[in-house]
Amino acid sequence: MDFSAFREGERKGWSARARLYGDATARVTLQTIPKLLDHARLFPGAKVLDAGCGPGFVAANAKLLGADAEGIDFSEGMVAQARDQFPDINFSVADVEDLPAPDETFDAVLSNIVLFHCRVAL
Ligand SMILES: C[S@@+](CC[C@H](N)C(=O)[O-])C[C@H]1O[C@@H](n2cnc3c(N)ncnc32)[C@H](O)[C@@H]1O
């Protein structure tokens, strides 16, 4: 399988599982978010990108800490789920391998359980 086929399988697979994610996969992935946010050393108003946001839990928790958070994911289903769950946060469809913002747009780019799905590191 070449990488583009793998990537397309991932994208469609995550969309198909987006509605179930909160009651299944998130039971594992939520566990790392406190540590991730602790290391990020956010401050009130910090601009934060949740890269590979899935249903948006990192962005939502960063917002609770006072950050100005948004999220991107290449799965349309995940972005739809994130928008449903957290309507006051901006989520959009985009690829973490090609971030849709110039350098220094964000104070922190956070990515929870995503990078091993990607070809390049952030
Ligand atoms: C294990 S889930 C983690 C979701 C979320 N970060 C969390 O903590 O619940 C992996 C997520 O990475 C996304 N993803 C994988 N490769 C991506 C890429 N190249 N660009 C954007 N999102 C990607 C998937 O669509 C999926 O939502």
mmCIF file of all heavy atoms in Angstrom, residues 1 28-30 32-33 36-38 59 61 64 72 106 116:
data_model
loop_
_atom_site.group_PDB
_atom_site.id
_atom_site.type_symbol
_atom_site.label_atom_id
_atom_site.label_comp_id
_atom_site.label_asym_id
_atom_site.label_seq_id
_atom_site.Cartn_x
_atom_site.Cartn_y
_atom_site.Cartn_z
ATOM 1 N N MET A 1 0.845 -1.192 0.000
ATOM 2 C CA MET A 1 0.000 0.000 0.000
ATOM 3 C C MET A 1 0.888 1.253 0.000
ATOM 4 O O MET A 1 1.816 1.347 0.797
ATOM 5 C CB MET A 1 -0.877 -0.018 1.251
ATOM 6 C CG MET A 1 -1.785 1.192 1.364
ATOM 7 S SD MET A 1 -2.650 1.310 2.964
ATOM 8 C CE MET A 1 -3.813 -0.035 2.856
ATOM 9 N N VAL A 28 -9.358 6.178 25.931
ATOM 10 C CA VAL A 28 -7.895 6.093 26.006
ATOM 11 C C VAL A 28 -7.271 7.463 25.729
ATOM 12 O O VAL A 28 -6.447 7.950 26.502
ATOM 13 C CB VAL A 28 -7.366 5.065 24.983
ATOM 14 C CG1 VAL A 28 -5.840 5.067 24.972
ATOM 15 C CG2 VAL A 28 -7.915 3.679 25.300
ATOM 16 N N THR A 29 -7.688 8.101 24.652
ATOM 17 C CA THR A 29 -6.984 9.319 24.218
ATOM 18 C C THR A 29 -7.174 10.495 25.187
ATOM 19 O O THR A 29 -6.299 11.357 25.288
ATOM 20 C CB THR A 29 -7.425 9.739 22.802
ATOM 21 O OG1 THR A 29 -8.841 9.964 22.794
ATOM 22 C CG2 THR A 29 -7.092 8.667 21.787
ATOM 23 N N LEU A 30 -8.286 10.518 25.910
ATOM 24 C CA LEU A 30 -8.501 11.611 26.875
ATOM 25 C C LEU A 30 -7.460 11.592 27.991
ATOM 26 O O LEU A 30 -7.163 12.623 28.597
ATOM 27 C CB LEU A 30 -9.898 11.493 27.496
ATOM 28 C CG LEU A 30 -11.081 11.928 26.634
ATOM 29 C CD1 LEU A 30 -12.399 11.536 27.307
ATOM 30 C CD2 LEU A 30 -11.047 13.433 26.382
ATOM 31 N N THR A 32 -4.298 11.385 28.029
ATOM 32 C CA THR A 32 -3.033 12.103 27.831
ATOM 33 C C THR A 32 -3.219 13.626 27.774
ATOM 34 O O THR A 32 -2.238 14.366 27.783
ATOM 35 C CB THR A 32 -2.359 11.633 26.529
ATOM 36 O OG1 THR A 32 -3.299 11.739 25.466
ATOM 37 C CG2 THR A 32 -1.891 10.190 26.653
ATOM 38 N N ILE A 33 -4.446 14.076 27.713
ATOM 39 C CA ILE A 33 -4.675 15.521 27.533
ATOM 40 C C ILE A 33 -4.194 16.358 28.723
ATOM 41 O O ILE A 33 -3.548 17.398 28.516
ATOM 42 C CB ILE A 33 -6.156 15.794 27.169
ATOM 43 C CG1 ILE A 33 -6.440 15.210 25.777
ATOM 44 C CG2 ILE A 33 -6.454 17.289 27.188
ATOM 45 C CD1 ILE A 33 -7.891 15.321 25.332
ATOM 46 N N LEU A 36 -0.477 16.776 28.318
ATOM 47 C CA LEU A 36 -0.181 17.614 27.146
ATOM 48 C C LEU A 36 -0.382 19.098 27.489
ATOM 49 O O LEU A 36 0.479 19.942 27.190
ATOM 50 C CB LEU A 36 -1.107 17.204 25.995
ATOM 51 C CG LEU A 36 -0.959 17.924 24.668
ATOM 52 C CD1 LEU A 36 0.377 17.583 24.006
ATOM 53 C CD2 LEU A 36 -2.105 17.539 23.725
ATOM 54 N N LEU A 37 -1.494 19.408 28.135
ATOM 55 C CA LEU A 37 -1.786 20.801 28.484
ATOM 56 C C LEU A 37 -0.827 21.313 29.554
ATOM 57 O O LEU A 37 -0.440 22.485 29.539
ATOM 58 C CB LEU A 37 -3.236 20.937 28.945
ATOM 59 C CG LEU A 37 -4.268 20.721 27.835
ATOM 60 C CD1 LEU A 37 -5.680 20.695 28.414
ATOM 61 C CD2 LEU A 37 -4.160 21.793 26.761
ATOM 62 N N ASP A 38 -0.425 20.439 30.445
ATOM 63 C CA ASP A 38 0.536 20.827 31.479
ATOM 64 C C ASP A 38 1.858 21.247 30.826
ATOM 65 O O ASP A 38 2.430 22.296 31.139
ATOM 66 C CB ASP A 38 0.736 19.631 32.415
ATOM 67 C CG ASP A 38 1.557 19.997 33.628
ATOM 68 O OD1 ASP A 38 1.465 21.150 34.072
ATOM 69 O OD2 ASP A 38 2.298 19.136 34.129
ATOM 70 N N ALA A 59 -8.799 21.074 22.119
ATOM 71 C CA ALA A 59 -9.192 22.484 21.962
ATOM 72 C C ALA A 59 -10.154 22.899 23.068
ATOM 73 O O ALA A 59 -10.035 23.982 23.649
ATOM 74 C CB ALA A 59 -9.827 22.703 20.590
ATOM 75 N N ASN A 61 -10.532 21.664 26.093
ATOM 76 C CA ASN A 61 -9.858 21.766 27.394
ATOM 77 C C ASN A 61 -8.914 22.961 27.440
ATOM 78 O O ASN A 61 -8.784 23.611 28.483
ATOM 79 C CB ASN A 61 -9.133 20.464 27.722
ATOM 80 C CG ASN A 61 -10.098 19.422 28.265
ATOM 81 O OD1 ASN A 61 -10.449 19.439 29.430
ATOM 82 N ND2 ASN A 61 -10.564 18.535 27.393
ATOM 83 N N LEU A 64 -11.002 25.896 28.177
ATOM 84 C CA LEU A 64 -11.359 25.970 29.599
ATOM 85 C C LEU A 64 -10.243 26.606 30.420
ATOM 86 O O LEU A 64 -10.494 27.217 31.462
ATOM 87 C CB LEU A 64 -11.648 24.561 30.147
ATOM 88 C CG LEU A 64 -12.984 23.949 29.744
ATOM 89 C CD1 LEU A 64 -13.058 22.499 30.225
ATOM 90 C CD2 LEU A 64 -14.144 24.754 30.328
ATOM 91 N N ILE A 72 -8.080 21.680 13.744
ATOM 92 C CA ILE A 72 -8.169 21.195 12.368
ATOM 93 C C ILE A 72 -8.071 19.666 12.369
ATOM 94 O O ILE A 72 -7.421 19.074 13.235
ATOM 95 C CB ILE A 72 -7.054 21.766 11.449
ATOM 96 C CG1 ILE A 72 -5.667 21.379 11.954
ATOM 97 C CG2 ILE A 72 -7.194 23.266 11.305
ATOM 98 C CD1 ILE A 72 -4.557 21.589 10.931
ATOM 99 N N PHE A 106 0.442 30.756 15.947
ATOM 100 C CA PHE A 106 -0.017 30.163 17.205
ATOM 101 C C PHE A 106 1.073 30.227 18.272
ATOM 102 O O PHE A 106 2.263 30.098 17.976
ATOM 103 C CB PHE A 106 -0.432 28.700 16.974
ATOM 104 C CG PHE A 106 -1.582 28.570 16.013
ATOM 105 C CD1 PHE A 106 -1.371 28.227 14.685
ATOM 106 C CD2 PHE A 106 -2.878 28.822 16.432
ATOM 107 C CE1 PHE A 106 -2.432 28.135 13.792
ATOM 108 C CE2 PHE A 106 -3.944 28.736 15.551
ATOM 109 C CZ PHE A 106 -3.719 28.390 14.226
ATOM 110 N N PHE A 116 1.789 9.778 14.797
ATOM 111 C CA PHE A 116 2.150 8.486 14.185
ATOM 112 C C PHE A 116 1.225 8.117 13.030
ATOM 113 O O PHE A 116 1.457 7.118 12.341
ATOM 114 C CB PHE A 116 2.218 7.375 15.246
ATOM 115 C CG PHE A 116 0.941 7.147 15.996
ATOM 116 C CD1 PHE A 116 -0.014 6.272 15.518
ATOM 117 C CD2 PHE A 116 0.705 7.809 17.193
ATOM 118 C CE1 PHE A 116 -1.193 6.060 16.215
ATOM 119 C CE2 PHE A 116 -0.470 7.607 17.896
ATOM 120 C CZ PHE A 116 -1.416 6.739 17.407
#
